[in-house]
């Protein structure tokens, strides 16, 4: 008995990192999971491991978002859960953020999340049930360095989450966000973020390094039916680095 038995979920960016852990957790709780990801091969492997489906998707393309949702509904009958996890997680000093780089982040992290929310909520409205969980970041509260453009996109997603909760509540759809802190994974290991692991741990109440599996339970909870009285909220899952 899982808390998502019989539910159909889409996880964007589910091929690796936090997204992969979310895919595994939702499947473990009984959901059928569809992964939308640019990394087609890794997405296939992640989907195969849980008996799910991978759909090669660039969330910045409106047609591809519509296709991801349509394929899910065609194949599995409906859409209950949408986890918007796909994002670019940069490490870029302020002086190196030019307008091209700014737009690249906006296009994927903010436009892409908007497009998936549009397509996903349209499908959910037809059943008058839905759970949307948007992955943001504790950096929007902390002013973390080297990610000003990223923080602008994630702050936008947090505000979008609050507004969508109002617009969609009448259709039985809840919209919440989860804000992880710095999390060790195959992406952050290979970037200058890895140099910040120890510093971030020193700021946390719980003194160990966070991994992707630490984030997934908060997402599964907000994606479950029993979280139905919670909407428009941000749940910070960061070992207590930021108290919000
Ligand atoms: C505190 O979301 O929240 C590094 C990299 N440090 O992506 C993040 C902190 C990173 C963060 C993040």
């Amino acid at each position: 008995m899982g808390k998502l038995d019989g539910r159909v979920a889409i996880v964007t960016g589910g091929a690796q990192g936090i997204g992969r852990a979310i895919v595994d957790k939702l499947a473990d709780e009984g959901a059928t999971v569809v992964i939308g990801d640019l990394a087609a091969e890794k997405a296939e492997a992640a989907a195969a491991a849980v008996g799910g489906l991978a759909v090669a998707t660039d969330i910045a393309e409106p047609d591809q978002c519509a296709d991801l949702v349509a394929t899910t509904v065609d194949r599995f009958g409906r859409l209950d859960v949408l986890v918007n996890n796909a994002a670019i997680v940069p490490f870029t000093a302020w002086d190196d953020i030019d307008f091209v780089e700014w737009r690249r982040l906006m296009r994927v992290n903010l436009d892409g999340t908007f497009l998936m929310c549009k397509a996903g909520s349209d499908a959910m409205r037809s059943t008058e049930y839905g759970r949307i969980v948007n992955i943001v970041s504790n950096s929007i509260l902390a002013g973390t360095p080297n990610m000003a453009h990223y923080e602008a996109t994630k702050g936008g997603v947090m505000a979008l989450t609050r507004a969508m909760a109002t617009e969609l509540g009448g259709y039985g759809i809840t919209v919440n966000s989860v804000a992880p802190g710095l999390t060790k994974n195959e992406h952050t290991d290979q970037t200058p973020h890895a140099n910040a692991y120890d510093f971030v741990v020193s700021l946390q109440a719980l003194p160990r390094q966070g991994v992707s599996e630490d984030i997934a339970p908060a997402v599964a909870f907000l994606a479950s039916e029993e979280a139905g009285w919670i909407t428009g909220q941000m749940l910070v899952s960061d070992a207590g680095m930021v108290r919000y």
Side-chain angles (χ1 to χ4, degrees):
M1 270 286 296
K3 57 170 132 258
L4 294 168
D5 278 340
R7 297 297 183 185
V8 177
I10 289 174
V11 180
T12 67
Q16 54 198 319
I18 292 172
R20 173 81 195 255
I22 293 168
V23 167
D24 292 346
K25 176 67 176 169
L26 299 191
D28 213 46
E29 293 290 348
T32 299
V33 183
V34 179
I35 299 174
D37 203 301
L38 272 180
E41 263 177 45
K42 282 185 187 168
E44 294 284 356
V50 298
L53 179 70
V55 180
T57 307
D58 178 352
I59 59 165
E61 295 294 338
D63 294 349
Q64 295 190 32
C65 294
D67 282 350
L68 172 58
V69 171
T71 301
T72 302
V73 172
D74 284 353
R75 189 68 185 270
F76 301 112
R78 63 187 190 286
L79 176 64
D80 299 302
V81 174
L82 168 62
V83 180
N84 287 304
N85 164 82
I88 299 170
V89 184
F91 187 100
T92 318
W94 173 253
D95 284 348
D96 296 325
I97 300 176
D98 59 14
F99 190 54
V100 171
E101 175 67 357
W102 171 269
R103 285 296 323 151
R104 185 174 80 97
L105 269 285
M106 290 293 154
R107 175 175 181 274
V108 173
N109 296 9
L110 188 53
D111 297 357
T113 300
F114 163 76
L115 292 168
M116 282 307 303
C117 283
K118 268 282 182 182
S121 64
D122 282 351
M124 289 169 175
R125 274 205 284 213
S126 66
T127 60
E128 303 227 323
Y129 179 88
R131 299 277 181 265
I132 298 175
V133 183
N134 295 322
I135 307 304
V136 294
S137 167
N138 76 346
S139 65
I140 71 176
L141 305 169
T144 304
N146 300 306
M147 300 193 297
H149 48 350
Y150 172 84
E151 286 157 44
T153 67
K154 293 291 188 174
V157 172
M158 188 264 248
L160 175 66
T161 301
R162 289 179 168 177
M164 282 180 59
T166 308
E167 300 283 345
L168 299 173
Y171 300 96
I173 300 169
T174 67
V175 191
N176 292 288
S177 63
V178 169
L182 176 60
T183 301
K184 177 180 167 60
N185 62 43
E186 55 273 47
H187 170 72
T188 50
D189 275 349
Q190 287 158 27
T191 64
H193 293 301
N195 298 318
Y197 287 154
D198 291 345
F199 177 64
V200 167
V201 170
S202 78
L203 301 176
Q204 294 171 186
L206 305 170
R208 71 161 173 83
Q209 203 167 289
V211 294
S212 299
E213 291 71 22
D214 291 316
I215 310 305
V219 177
F221 169 62
L222 291 171
S224 71
E225 194 171 343
E226 68 184 356
W229 203 235
I230 302 172
T231 194
Q233 305 301 316
M234 175 169 67
L235 178 52
V236 180
S237 177
D238 71 346
M241 177 182 139
V242 175
R243 318 295 158 87
Y244 175 73

